[in-house]
Amino acid sequence: MVNKIISIALFLSILSNYKVLAQKTSQAEVTKDTLKSIDIDPLTPAKAAFYSAVLPGLGQAYNKKYWKIPLVYGAIGTSLYFYIDSNKKYHQFRDAYKRRLEGYTDDNFSYLDDSRLIAGQKFYQRNRDLSSLFVIGFYVLNIIDANVDAALMQFNVDDRLSVKPTLYQNDLNLKTNVGLSLNFNF
């Protein structure tokens, strides 16, 4: 019995000394690693968002995502084109309807009756309003994209974490199945 107590005490004393030494070296290593990896600028997302607000696409250039700039201008430009086109056609239908009320019938829409002119006005007014919402929406989406992209660029992404598609064989019917494999290496 005394032999067991002495061996347990000796084991615990060795174990406690080992942990104290391990804590000192591991804490120094953790401190070194965290000091090396701190290069995060908290203002980078705000700068990118500000640049995109001033000039659409400038935040994407700041983030060095140049391939997104044509998408930004394509989305905003297309919406702006449809806004201008619908606004022009709305005013044409409105002016023709006003001239009809004054008694003139020599407009471009002489083949349409008054109810069709009103329907055309409503149609192009609705399209104009929707196009203006799309212009504003794509402009705001441009700002949000630049902000989120700048924030995500600061994350440390390395090869230790990976998601890969995998093919595996089903044991019941021996058919090949498709799946995703999430790997994290320590």
Side-chain angles (χ1 to χ4, degrees):
M1 177 82 172
V2 175
N3 232 357
K4 285 185 180 180
I5 293 175
I6 292 174
S7 61
I8 290 174
L10 184 62
F11 176 72
L12 289 176
S13 66
I14 291 172
L15 187 64
S16 65
N17 287 335
Y18 180 71
K19 282 198 172 222
V20 171
L21 293 175
Q23 287 178 349
K24 286 183 182 177
T25 57
S26 67
Q27 187 175 5
E29 290 174 6
V30 169
T31 305
K32 283 182 186 178
D33 289 341
T34 55
L35 288 177
K36 286 182 185 177
S37 66
I38 296 178
D39 56 346
I40 296 173
D41 182 14
L43 295 179
T44 300
K47 284 181 188 177
F50 176 74
Y51 291 153
S52 279
V54 170
L55 180 67
L58 194 58
Q60 283 74 14
Y62 177 74
N63 292 335
K64 295 182 177 68
K65 302 285 184 173
Y66 302 110
W67 63 273
K68 290 184 178 181
I69 296 172
L71 297 176
V72 169
Y73 280 107
I76 293 174
T78 302
S79 301
L80 195 60
Y81 167 78
F82 282 114
Y83 173 81
I84 292 169
D85 186 53
S86 295
N87 190 39
K88 183 178 83 171
K89 290 180 181 177
Y90 164 73
H91 284 291
Q92 287 175 350
F93 274 89
R94 188 185 68 165
D95 292 343
Y97 181 69
K98 283 183 178 181
R99 287 182 55 82
R100 288 272 177 92
L101 292 178
E102 293 173 359
Y104 298 105
T105 58
D106 60 346
D107 53 27
N108 293 336
F109 304 108
S110 59
Y111 57 90
L112 296 177
D113 60 347
D114 291 346
S115 64
R116 292 293 174 193
L117 288 176
I118 293 172
Q121 283 182 50
K122 289 181 181 179
F123 176 77
Y124 286 113
Q125 183 180 16
R126 181 176 179 271
N127 285 351
R128 179 193 65 183
D129 295 343
L130 282 175
S131 296
S132 66
L133 287 177
F134 277 108
V135 168
I136 293 168
F138 285 129
Y139 176 74
V140 170
L141 187 63
N142 155 57
I143 296 170
I144 292 170
D145 174 63
N147 188 332
V148 169
D149 196 25
L152 290 179
M153 281 180 14
Q154 297 181 2
F155 282 101
N156 183 13
V157 179
D158 54 5
D159 293 334
R160 295 183 311 152
L161 179 65
S162 64
V163 177
K164 298 177 187 173
T166 58
L167 297 173
Y168 62 95
Q169 191 172 11
N170 190 348
D171 294 333
L172 295 176
N173 57 9
L174 301 176
K175 289 187 178 179
T176 304
N177 293 332
V178 179
L180 285 176
S181 171
L182 174 65
N183 298 322
F184 183 71
N185 299 324
F186 293 97

